[in-house]
Amino acid sequence: MITRRHFLGVSSLAVAGTVTSCQQGEGGSPNASSAGTLPSSIAALTSRADEPVPISVEERVLRIEKARGLMRAEGIDALMLTGGTSLRYFTDIRWGLSERMLAVVIPLRGQAFLVSPAFEEDRAREQLHGGPLEDTEVMTWHEHESPYALVAGGLRNRGLGTGRLGIEETVRFVFSDGVARAAPALSLSSGTPITAGCRGVKDDHELALMQLANEVTLTAYKAAFEALEPGMSQGDFGRLVSQAHAQQGFSGGAGVQVGQYSALPHGSVTPQVIEEGSILLIDGGCSVEGYRSDISRTFVLGEPTDRMRQVFEIEHRAQAAALAAAAPGVEAQAVDAAARSVIEEAGFGPDYAYFTHRVGHGIGMDGHEWPYLVRGNTMPLEPGMTFSDEPGIYIPGEFGVRLEDDMYITEDGAGLFTPQSPSIDDPFGNWPA
């Protein structure tokens, strides 16, 4: 686990700036309840909102240069981004998707440019200000005009009337198709080798932000668990988790599944009541400066059955096996295979019979992102890659057990941002140590 000392060391080297949570309310702490009305375990939590250091302009400039290096290696002449996570990653422009296209085009050589609806120009320039593309060219289009013609013209002006344009994977088809029609001499291809090639490997600053997000979420889970009472609904418990995140200065939460509904990996909307002996599977996280946590815990209110203990122990061993298998140079699929073999050998097989999903997904600024720990993925792991480690055993009509912690690849193995859950009887142990 990355230590608090490591986190503070990285923070001290980063460029200072305004400190906020990605999802923190504009008025300050997102906590909607006064401390006096909260359960004591949640009221005792303190804010950590002043700890994270934002990603600096200099860091984003280096990201753009890395993207250009990957473009050169892949034979891609320019990269087109629209609203979403990758746009924020490279430029710090925070823009949602709509039917009106705002796009940033980063050429292999020469100045990037931005295409914006004319009535959004001021807002777009406001977000460019102080960022890595502050002095970039801005082209605007009115409602009756074509933004695609502007993209084509901007590329021609940079000597790219022909060549390959990489399209970021979340760009809407109507946008990429419009560019293809406006610039028929261009060849459009996937920009994923560029965006995932940059975002898939985290640096120390990114890892520090993820470390904090994971610590905040696990602390919120434990505080909510200590406030759990019979008769609560899954919504009641979910609100406790959200309040515990808010008390620490961040917006976060968890989905909650009770009893037989814990056998559904992503749960059910059926109303559920927590009673003595109920097993709960919770799954959620928070965001710190745009970097996410994703943690699952399984526990019981009261005394678990022997069957619950047995399944938990198998699950615990499977999660540990995945962690032990992960290291630089190891194929991504081998991590999935390591966990799956433990579960199959314990009698919960074959294959996807009870462990119904992959063992993990990449995580960073998106909860699910490249690369994935799944059969068939032969990509070798690299230091700085980050994943969920979340095998599961789901017994239809009975219950499910999933343990999920976020994992980072080191120079000689792998580590978890948060410790494994010790047991179903003591799900949080001495956290925080």
Side-chain angles (χ1 to χ4, degrees):
M1 184 176 68
I2 294 176
T3 65
R4 178 176 172 82
R5 179 176 296 177
H6 175 84
F7 172 76
L8 292 175
V10 171
S11 297
S12 68
L13 295 174
V15 177
T18 303
V19 180
T20 61
S21 162
C22 173
Q23 297 183 17
Q24 188 168 334
E26 292 181 1
S29 170
N31 188 356
S33 303
S34 65
T37 64
L38 294 174
S40 59
S41 60
I42 296 176
L45 301 176
T46 57
S47 176
R48 303 185 65 181
D50 62 346
E51 295 185 29
V53 174
I55 301 296
S56 69
V57 174
E58 291 80 4
E59 288 171 297
R60 296 190 197 278
V61 169
L62 291 175
R63 292 173 176 183
I64 293 172
E65 289 310 305
K66 181 177 179 180
R68 284 179 163 141
L70 291 172
M71 289 160 62
R72 189 175 298 108
E74 294 287 334
I76 291 177
D77 299 295
L79 175 68
M80 187 174 93
L81 310 167
T82 55
T85 309
S86 288
L87 183 66
R88 180 180 179 187
Y89 174 86
F90 289 109
T91 72
D92 203 28
I93 296 172
R94 307 180 191 196
W95 206 274
L97 283 173
S98 79
E99 75 281 8
R100 299 181 176 100
M101 188 181 81
L102 177 136
V104 167
V105 179
I106 301 172
L108 179 57
R109 299 177 185 83
Q111 185 188 44
F113 62 94
L114 182 145
V115 172
S116 170
F119 77 95
E120 296 274 36
E121 181 179 1
D122 289 346
R123 184 162 75 99
R125 288 187 182 277
E126 178 184 61
Q127 296 212 34
L128 286 170
H129 179 69
L133 300 183
E134 181 170 27
D135 298 324
T136 198
E137 180 182 7
V138 176
M139 306 176 185
T140 62
W141 57 280
H142 289 289
E143 297 280 46
H144 67 287
E145 296 175 325
S146 169
Y148 317 121
L150 293 181
V151 172
L155 289 169
R156 282 196 303 271
N157 292 341
R158 288 157 178 79
L160 297 174
T162 60
R164 291 180 67 202
L165 175 64
I167 304 295
E168 199 270 343
E169 65 183 291
T170 64
V171 172
R172 290 181 170 178
F173 174 78
V174 67
F175 297 163
S176 59
D177 184 58
V179 171
R181 293 173 183 273
L186 278 178
S187 172
L188 272 59
S189 62
S190 171
T192 298
I194 314 307
T195 55
C198 289
R199 291 175 54 191
V201 176
K202 278 69 176 180
D203 62 22
D204 283 349
H205 190 173
E206 293 174 289
L207 292 173
L209 294 172
M210 293 181 68
Q211 178 69 54
L212 178 56
N214 278 270
E215 290 176 6
V216 166
T217 292
L218 192 60
T219 299
Y221 283 4
K222 183 177 182 180
F225 171 73
E226 291 174 349
L228 179 61
E229 296 179 356
M232 286 183 174
S233 68
Q234 81 265 50
D236 293 331
F237 188 74
R239 279 185 286 277
L240 292 178
V241 174
S242 295
Q243 288 171 341
H245 277 92
Q247 190 72 359
Q248 297 175 82
F250 301 93
S251 179
V256 181
Q257 304 304 323
V258 182
Q260 65 178 330
Y261 298 104
S262 63
L264 303 176
H266 283 167
S268 168
V269 297
T270 302
Q272 301 157 42
V273 177
I274 302 163
E275 305 291 356
E276 285 286 341
S278 292
I279 191 168
L280 284 78
L281 194 163
I282 65 173
D283 181 7
C286 73
S287 177
V288 172
E289 287 297 324
Y291 286 83
R292 300 198 59 80
S293 58
D294 189 3
I295 298 176
S296 297
R297 286 292 180 266
T298 303
F299 48 80
V300 176
L301 175 60
E303 189 74 10
T305 65
D306 289 344
R307 170 101 158 145
M308 291 173 182
R309 287 195 180 94
Q310 175 196 30
V311 174
F312 185 99
E313 285 301 313
I314 297 166
E315 167 71 6
H316 192 279
R317 287 192 284 113
Q319 189 192 35
L323 177 65
V330 172
E331 291 184 353
Q333 64 179 352
V335 183
D336 180 273
R340 199 167 300 278
S341 65
V342 171
I343 292 171
E344 288 186 0
E345 289 169 8
F348 289 98
D351 206 18
Y352 288 92
Y354 293 92
F355 176 14
T356 56
H357 51 75
R358 66 197 172 205
V359 79
H361 52 79
I363 183 169
M365 292 186 71
D366 284 321
H368 290 202
E369 63 182 39
W370 297 95
Y372 299 95
L373 302 175
V374 63
R375 182 185 304 165
N377 186 359
T378 60
M379 173 184 286
L381 304 183
E382 298 179 42
M385 286 183 170
T386 49
F387 304 93
S388 66
D389 178 1
E390 53 171 319
I393 300 172
Y394 309 99
I395 307 170
E398 291 189 53
F399 61 86
V401 176
R402 182 168 69 251
L403 300 177
E404 177 185 15
D405 294 278
D406 296 332
M407 173 173 67
Y408 54 93
I409 307 302
T410 66
E411 293 296 332
D412 57 2
L416 297 176
F417 290 107
T418 43
Q420 283 186 277
S421 181
S423 70
I424 198 167
D425 295 284
D426 185 20
F428 299 97
N430 65 348
W431 176 263

